[in-house]
Amino acid sequence: MRIILATEGPRLPAERALEQPCGGVEIATAMLVRALAQGGHAVTVLAGTAAAERDGDGALWAPSAEGAADLVIANRAPKLFKILPKGRRVLWLHNPARYLAKPRHAIPLLLARPRIVVLGPSHRASLPRLFAGAAVEIPLAVAPPFTAGGTAHGPPAPRAVFASNPLRNLDALLAIWAARILPAVPDASLHIYAGAGVYGGPQKLADRAAPVMERAAHTPGVVLCGPQPRAVLAESYARARAMLYLGDPGETFCLAVAEAQAMGLPCILGAEGAVAERVRDGQSGIVARDHDAFAEAAIRILRDDAAWSAMHHAALTQPPPPDWAEVAARFVALARP
C-alpha cells in the first residue's frame, strides 16, 4: 500500500526521535511512520523543504509527492489536504478539536471529507458536532525503551517527577508542592524534566514558560533536570516514587503518564484533560478532583510504602496497551471502504 503523511512538524524519523528529547506529537508521528514502513508499506512523509531522503526504516521524507496513494494522512492541520494527492483521506488529531469549527479549518475539512482519528473518549468529546460522525478512536502507543516495561522493586526514596510542558499547570503544582506536600514530607524532592525547547515553535512559547521555570528554580525541594532523552527518563521513572501532574485541558492522551505507568510508576493526577484515561483510578494511580485531594494523595504515596507497593504492582500488571504495529494496522484499515 502507498501511504503519504503530511506534517507541519520537523523531519524527525524514529532513529533520531528516540535518541533526543521531543514532544508527544513528534514521537507519535515518528513511530507511526516507522511502524507503517516496517509493515511493508511504501511510506512518504511530506515535511520541510530540503531534498528528499530515506530514513533507516525505508520511509521517504520529502517536500512533495506525485501520484495517487491508497491512504493520505494530514497530521493535525486540515489545510495539508491541499498538498496531498488523491487517496483515502484521514485527519490525525492530537490537540483538542474545537478549533475545527473555525472556517479556515472547517472549509478544507468539509472539502476533503476525511475520517478523523482522535486519541480517546475525552478527545472525541471535543469534536464539533458537525464532524463527530467522522471520528474513529485510535489511541497512541508507548515507544522504546518504555515498551520493555519496568520491573518490580521495593519502595524508593520520596522522589517525584514532572515530565510535561511547563505551561501545563506546573505553576499550580509548584504552589501545592511548596505549601502542602514538602512540609508533610520534608525529605521529598520533585525532579522536573521539562523545557519549552522540546516543543519547538515560536520564541513566545519559551518566553511564556520562562517565569514558570524561574519559579521552579527557587522552589524548595525542586530539582531542574531539563529535557532528557527517553532512555534517561525511563531510568528516572524506575527510581522515582510517583509522577505528579495536575493535567491540562490541552491533554488529549498524555504519553508521559502512559510511559510512567509502563515503568510501574504510580501517578497522582488532576482531572483535567485525558490524563485520567491513562490510569486505573485507585489502583495504578489516583485521579484527584481538587487541589486538596491531590496534595493528600501525593503525600500518601510518598510516605506510605504499602500504598506505593500496591500501585506499583498494579501498574506493572495491567494489560499491555496496543503497540505501534497495532496502531499502524488500524490506520491501514481506514484505507478500506
Side-chain angles (χ1 to χ4, degrees):
M1 185 177 291
R2 187 181 189 218
I3 300 171
I4 301 177
L5 182 149
T7 182
E8 294 181 315
R11 284 192 188 182
L12 193 61
E15 63 256 30
R16 295 210 308 269
L18 292 172
E19 296 296 327
Q20 67 184 58
C22 64
V25 176
E26 289 73 30
I27 193 68
T29 302
M31 294 308 297
L32 178 62
V33 170
R34 164 169 280 185
L36 290 169
Q38 291 184 344
H41 303 287
V43 182
T44 299
V45 184
L46 305 186
T49 58
E53 56 182 342
R54 288 199 182 274
D55 65 24
D57 299 303
L60 181 68
W61 297 69
S64 62
E66 297 181 358
D70 300 285
L71 179 67
V72 296
I73 304 168
N75 199 15
R76 293 203 278 192
K79 66 181 181 181
L80 292 172
F81 286 119
K82 295 178 182 179
I83 66 170
L84 282 163
K86 292 182 179 180
R88 187 74 61 173
R89 293 176 179 262
V90 170
L91 174 64
W92 189 17
L93 295 182
H94 301 270
N95 305 102
R98 289 176 290 274
Y99 69 98
L100 296 179
K102 296 179 180 179
R104 69 176 183 271
H105 301 299
I107 292 172
L109 194 53
L110 289 169
L111 292 173
R113 301 180 64 84
R115 297 302 303 273
I116 301 175
V117 171
V118 294
L119 308 180
S122 67
H123 195 194
R124 179 193 285 269
S126 72
L127 272 171
R129 185 177 301 178
L130 178 62
F131 303 117
V136 57
E137 290 182 21
I138 303 180
L140 303 180
V142 298
F146 299 102
T147 46
T151 56
H153 57 84
R159 189 178 78 169
V161 296
F162 173 92
S164 189
N165 187 323
L167 294 175
R168 291 188 167 178
N169 263 324
L170 176 56
D171 200 47
L173 174 61
L174 292 171
I176 297 170
W177 174 265
R180 295 285 307 277
I181 299 172
L182 189 61
V185 194
D187 58 337
S189 59
L190 174 60
H191 291 234
I192 296 178
Y193 296 90
V198 172
Y199 301 91
Q203 179 62 34
K204 64 181 181 181
L205 177 60
D207 292 343
R208 288 172 58 204
V212 181
M213 299 307 293
E214 180 67 15
R215 178 175 181 180
H218 292 89
T219 299
V222 168
V223 180
L224 295 182
C225 303
Q228 296 294 333
R230 305 172 64 73
V232 175
L233 290 176
E235 182 180 353
S236 174
Y237 294 173
R239 300 196 312 269
R241 183 90 172 197
M243 174 173 279
L244 304 183
Y245 185 27
L246 287 166
D248 186 87
E251 287 287 10
T252 55
F253 186 83
C254 196
L255 270 172
V257 172
E259 291 165 349
Q261 290 276 280
M263 299 302 295
L265 182 61
C267 297
I268 309 302
L269 308 170
E272 290 194 272
V275 292
E277 296 170 9
R278 305 279 73 80
V279 302
R280 289 181 292 164
D281 188 18
Q283 298 179 56
S284 65
I286 295 175
V287 180
R289 300 303 165 185
D290 56 41
H291 287 187
D292 285 340
F294 183 92
E296 291 168 5
I299 292 166
R300 180 187 175 207
I301 207 67
L302 290 172
R303 293 199 306 198
D304 187 331
D305 287 349
W308 180 87
S309 294
M311 288 193 181
H312 171 62
H313 286 282
L316 288 175
T317 57
Q318 58 192 337
D323 61 21
W324 277 105
E326 295 175 71
V327 173
R330 295 184 64 179
F331 271 88
V332 169
L334 296 178
R336 305 185 185 109

